[in-house]
Amino acid sequence: MRGRRVAITGAGTINPLGADVPATLAAMREGRVAIGPLDIRDADRLLAPIGAQVAEYDETARFDRQQIALYDRFTQFALIAGGQAVAQSGLTFDGALAERAGVVIGTSGGGLGTQDDNYRAVYEEGKNRVHPFVVPRLMNSAAASHLGMVHNLRGPGFTVSSACASSNHAMGQALAMIRSGMADVMLTGGSEAMLCFGGFKAWEGLRVMSRDGCRPFCATRSGMVQGEGAAVFVFEEWEHARARGAEILAEVAGYSMTSDAGDIVMPSQQGAERAMAGALADAGLAPGDVGYVNAHGTATAANDRIESAAIAAVFGPATGGLAVSSTKSMHGHLIGGAGAVELLACLSALRDGVIPPTMGWRTRDPDCPLDVVPNAAREARVAATLSNAFAFGGLNAVLALRAA
Amino acid sequence: MTAPMPDVRHEVKRILAEQALIEPTDVSDDATLESLGVDSMGLVEAIFGLEEAFDIRIPFNANAPGESGFDISSVDSMVATVERLIAEQKG
């Protein structure tokens, strides 16, 4: 059921490509790759010590001592992104609107850095006491709660966690709530700050991390590279936005989620296909209406092959004219924050007519026969986009945007 | 004082048998992962088991198994690679 229409009226971000939306879109246009040597404690003990970090980040310049005591890095990122999004929207949440406004944020690891630091304190350093705010700092829902407190959002508030699809699932929930009349405005998106020693070691164990860069859809691809950061959007009921003369960045036109019900790590082509086809149907879009797909594109052997086949199956003859790129090649894989930052690439295509590239691409893989916009951004008029997220465990979520 | 090094072939067979849900004695020298029915997750877990058993680091990227330097084509090849890595890393 489609119900009411939903507009995006604000966007904010901090991620390896930039500390706000204009800087991020400029970096995507330039094809800047933010992947490099990891600067974290004990990086010398990592086998694949590369990643995309939020560079030159100084929490003390952004937050005071009391706030830092309560804000894990993932909460800090979410608050920075959310503040920008609300400012752009021009909304103030008070009176009746506050009760009709909510927040739903995607994250996979939540306050993993806080957990890592404090496990280290009690196990490695043998301490018998930790800071009193460890629990409120590490909670997966902390970012959503703090966004609600800062902006006075008194309606629905919660966190969605579905691994690499967390952001898209969160934004899909926000869309559904506004459509159904449960809320009029939702802050939504995702945040992740998993680049700590324990978080990275866990990924290393799976043997899917690249040691030399993220090259999605390339025959020489060698695995994923992790990133960190957040993006948060203001989703607003269409007529509410129009009535106050707000600038509408794009329409959240459709959404679909499916489950593979198959394997805990291997993706299924059919699950991805059903999610993309479902988002198109929900948005009332034909395959030929879509000019750009932001791929999940993790640069693992399995994902890129299966996603390519799924795109070709859904788009059929329209695949030939379709631009598909993975911006993970630039900002890395933000895990639970991925879909949110990647929705910015869709806004770039819809609003600026700039399709961000797949960087690092060297050689065509016959199993990935797509136009992946290799190595340079492209100007194009795009009326509608899809953004894919296919999580471990076969949880798929795809969002469709339409130009406002 | 270090514990005696377990026999490499015995350990490779034991670890693969664990993944294949069969007896180690039923793993032949020329058995392949395919013939044993060990999938990519099983292989990654088996490599972890070998690293732990011999305290070595086995280079392996699941995205490019052929380029990893760990020859997984048969039990024989895995034994040979593990023996080489032990010699290189523990010698």
Side-chain angles (χ1 to χ4, degrees):
Chain A
M1 193 194 84
R2 268 177 249 174
R4 308 193 300 172
R5 292 173 71 189
V6 175
I8 301 178
T9 57
T13 190
I14 180 164
N15 70 76
L17 293 176
D20 56 29
V21 173
T24 301
L25 297 193
M28 286 183 176
R29 182 193 289 256
E30 291 164 17
R32 192 163 71 76
V33 175
I35 294 166
L38 263 185
D39 178 19
I40 62 169
R41 189 171 169 184
D42 291 334
D44 58 317
R45 288 175 55 202
L46 299 173
L47 298 176
I50 60 168
Q53 291 178 284
V54 173
E56 290 162 26
Y57 181 70
D58 177 8
E59 62 182 4
T60 62
R62 302 261 190 179
F63 302 101
D64 65 31
R65 188 188 158 279
Q66 281 72 18
Q67 290 172 320
I68 290 168
L70 284 165
Y71 298 169
D72 179 89
R73 191 173 171 95
F74 99 103
T75 296
Q76 296 179 21
F77 289 160
L79 286 171
I80 291 165
Q84 295 168 7
V86 171
Q88 182 177 27
S89 77
L91 285 167
T92 305
F93 299 97
D94 52 20
L97 180 60
E99 297 187 9
R100 298 283 302 158
V103 53
V104 51
I105 293 295
T107 187
S108 183
L112 195 73
T114 296
Q115 294 195 49
D116 198 54
D117 287 345
N118 287 284
Y119 280 143
R120 196 192 280 275
V122 293
Y123 295 140
E124 183 179 314
E125 294 160 14
K127 290 187 176 169
N128 286 322
R129 187 185 304 119
V130 297
H131 191 278
F133 299 161
V134 170
V135 168
R137 207 172 189 270
L138 68 76
M139 307 189 296
N140 275 42
S141 50
S145 292
H146 286 296
L147 278 165
M149 285 185 263
V150 168
H151 298 289
N152 193 35
L153 311 170
R154 294 172 177 265
F158 61 103
T159 288
V160 168
S161 191
S162 51
C164 308
S166 299
S167 279
N168 275 12
H169 275 118
M171 294 188 286
Q173 290 314 297
L175 170 69
M177 289 177 150
I178 297 173
R179 279 177 166 181
S180 71
M182 197 179 282
D184 293 330
V185 179
M186 292 294 291
L187 254 63
T188 187
S191 185
E192 200 73 81
M194 219 181 250
L195 295 177
C196 56
F197 185 73
F200 208 87
K201 266 292 163 201
W203 277 102
E204 215 173 73
L206 262 177
R207 308 269 184 167
V208 295
M209 307 301 285
S210 172
R211 302 166 76 158
D212 60 4
C214 179
R215 296 187 296 280
F217 302 111
C218 174
T220 71
R221 66 187 180 276
S222 56
M224 55 178 275
V225 174
Q226 265 200 80
E228 64 172 357
V232 173
F233 302 88
V234 175
F235 281 17
E236 184 172 357
E237 194 274 324
W238 189 270
E239 295 306 327
H240 189 276
R242 295 242 312 182
R244 65 185 186 89
E247 184 188 2
I248 294 176
L249 306 180
E251 178 177 7
V252 190
Y255 171 63
S256 175
M257 45 186 168
T258 65
S259 302
D260 296 347
D263 190 273
I264 197 65
V265 293
M266 283 298 289
S268 117
Q269 182 182 330
Q270 202 211 28
E273 270 179 47
R274 288 191 297 121
M276 283 187 275
L280 290 176
D282 187 45
L285 291 167
D289 298 334
V290 175
Y292 171 58
V293 173
N294 183 285
H296 189 54
T298 54
T300 59
N303 175 83
D304 293 6
R305 183 182 70 243
I306 286 166
E307 185 171 14
S308 296
I311 289 171
V314 169
F315 284 86
T319 311
L322 183 67
V324 178
S325 74
S326 171
T327 51
K328 289 186 176 76
S329 57
M330 295 181 274
H331 51 62
H333 192 341
L334 270 68
I335 316 293
V341 168
E342 289 165 27
L343 207 65
L344 296 170
C346 294
L347 290 181
S348 171
L350 293 170
R351 290 179 55 75
D352 304 335
V354 175
I355 298 178
T358 303
M359 296 303 294
W361 190 91
R362 297 172 187 167
T363 310
R364 187 177 172 83
D365 179 348
D367 285 339
C368 304
L370 301 169
D371 172 4
V372 298
V373 196
N375 301 322
R378 181 183 304 162
E379 293 193 7
R381 285 178 60 87
V382 174
T385 62
L386 289 190
S387 184
N388 288 345
F390 307 131
F392 270 0
L395 309 182
N396 311 303
V398 176
L399 279 166
L401 296 190
R402 190 187 282 120
Chain B
M1 172 90 191
T2 52
M5 189 68 74
D7 176 71
V8 173
R9 187 168 299 271
H10 181 266
E11 277 300 292
V12 169
K13 288 186 176 181
R14 184 186 67 76
I15 286 167
L16 289 173
E18 209 169 70
Q19 293 295 334
L21 305 175
I22 57 177
E23 290 301 318
T25 48
D26 293 335
V27 179
S28 63
D29 292 336
D30 60 356
T32 64
L33 294 168
E34 203 178 7
S35 73
L36 293 169
V38 174
D39 65 8
S40 60
M41 287 282 275
L43 172 60
V44 166
E45 211 185 347
I47 290 171
F48 169 73
L50 290 168
E51 288 184 320
E52 288 286 287
F54 297 105
D55 190 24
I56 55 170
R57 194 159 58 76
I58 299 176
F60 183 78
N61 182 337
N63 294 289
E67 295 157 28
S68 298
F70 182 55
D71 185 348
I72 56 170
S73 46
S74 70
V75 168
D76 275 334
S77 74
M78 284 185 262
V79 170
T81 310
V82 169
E83 284 173 342
R84 176 173 59 77
L85 291 170
I86 292 170
E88 284 172 9
Q89 296 176 23
K90 312 291 282 184

